[in-house]
């Protein structure tokens, strides 16, 4: 499974050309209910049939309460996102993770996917272009572990022997 990270601007450019076939999209946006600037969802109609929208602001653990969240309520649909990812993997699809700037929420999601399936999520954290949101990373990675184990699909890579 190929996993790519896109900003709102970059995905708009991609959508104006030829959108990659056999691709599922995880699209993050900031909902209206938060103190920060709300973002409109990217409209994938007619371009991509398999899309999940994730309405969460790009915030850290320390300020969850300032935005009306707890650890449990922030990204409360993480299990749904994990099921979406596992289904895309089963169907042989690639995944695009997209958020406003393509640096934090989408990078964290991509890191969680890469860590779960290939054991290389650190590649995203080590890339200077990204500031992967650790809260998003842990919520999605933990949900992938739970969902995979519940469905008998523990696909995490085996540890390499020395």
């Amino acid at each position: 499974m190929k996993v790519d990270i896109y900003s709102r601007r970059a995905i708009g450019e991609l959508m104006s050309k030829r959108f990659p076939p056999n691709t599922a999209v995880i699209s993050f946006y900031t909902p209206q209910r938060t103190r920060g600037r709300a973002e409109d969802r990217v409209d994938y109609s007619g371009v991509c049939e398999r899309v999940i929208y994730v309405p969460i602001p790009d915030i850290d653990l320390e300020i969850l309460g300032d935005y009306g969240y707890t650890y449990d309520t922030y990204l409360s649909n993480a299990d749904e996102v994990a099921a979406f990812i596992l289904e895309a993997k089963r169907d042989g699809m690639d995944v695009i993770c997209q958020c406003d700037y393509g640096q934090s929420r989408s990078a964290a999601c991509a890191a969680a996917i890469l860590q779960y399936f290939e054991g290389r999520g650190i590649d995203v954290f080590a890339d200077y272009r990204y500031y992967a949101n650790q809260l998003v990373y842990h919520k999605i990675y933990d949900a992938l572990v739970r969902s995979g184990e519940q469905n008998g699909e523990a696909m995490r890579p085996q540890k390499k022997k020395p």
Side-chain angles (χ1 to χ4, degrees):
M1 170 188 338
K2 181 179 173 193
V3 180
D4 287 315
I5 302 166
Y6 278 85
S7 67
R8 175 184 297 271
R9 191 185 73 196
I11 203 71
E13 291 172 11
L14 181 66
M15 290 168 64
S16 70
K17 299 175 184 170
R18 186 172 182 271
F19 198 82
N22 203 36
T23 300
V25 175
I26 303 167
S27 181
F28 294 90
Y29 69 98
T30 299
Q32 291 287 341
R33 70 171 268 235
T34 60
R35 308 184 319 180
R37 177 183 61 85
E39 301 163 355
D40 292 328
R41 295 183 344 176
V42 172
D43 183 6
Y44 288 93
S45 304
V47 177
C48 180
E49 291 184 17
R50 194 163 319 177
V51 179
I52 187 169
Y53 291 97
V54 185
I56 57 165
D58 187 14
I59 56 177
D60 294 320
L61 184 63
E62 296 81 20
I63 60 170
L64 283 176
D66 295 347
Y67 286 78
Y69 291 100
T70 65
Y71 184 81
D72 292 331
T73 61
Y74 182 79
L75 193 50
S76 59
N77 64 336
D79 290 332
E80 181 183 346
V81 174
F84 179 87
I85 294 164
L86 290 169
E87 184 177 321
K89 171 73 171 172
R90 274 193 304 275
D91 293 345
M93 300 183 83
D94 295 326
V95 174
I96 288 177
C97 301
Q98 173 266 310
C99 67
D100 201 29
Y101 291 102
Q103 296 176 336
S104 185
R105 292 168 289 182
S106 58
C109 182
I113 294 167
L114 291 171
Q115 183 61 34
Y116 182 74
F117 290 111
E118 301 175 15
R120 59 182 194 92
I122 191 66
D123 293 353
V124 176
F125 283 97
D127 190 323
Y128 71 92
R129 296 174 296 172
Y130 305 120
Y131 304 94
N133 182 309
Q134 292 187 28
L135 185 55
V136 171
Y137 169 82
H138 286 288
K139 295 285 288 198
I140 292 176
Y141 180 77
D142 291 346
L144 281 168
V145 170
R146 277 192 311 276
S147 294
E149 289 173 352
Q150 288 172 356
N151 296 318
E153 298 177 4
M155 296 177 165
R156 289 173 286 160
Q158 300 296 318
K159 291 186 179 182
K160 295 178 182 175
K161 295 182 181 180

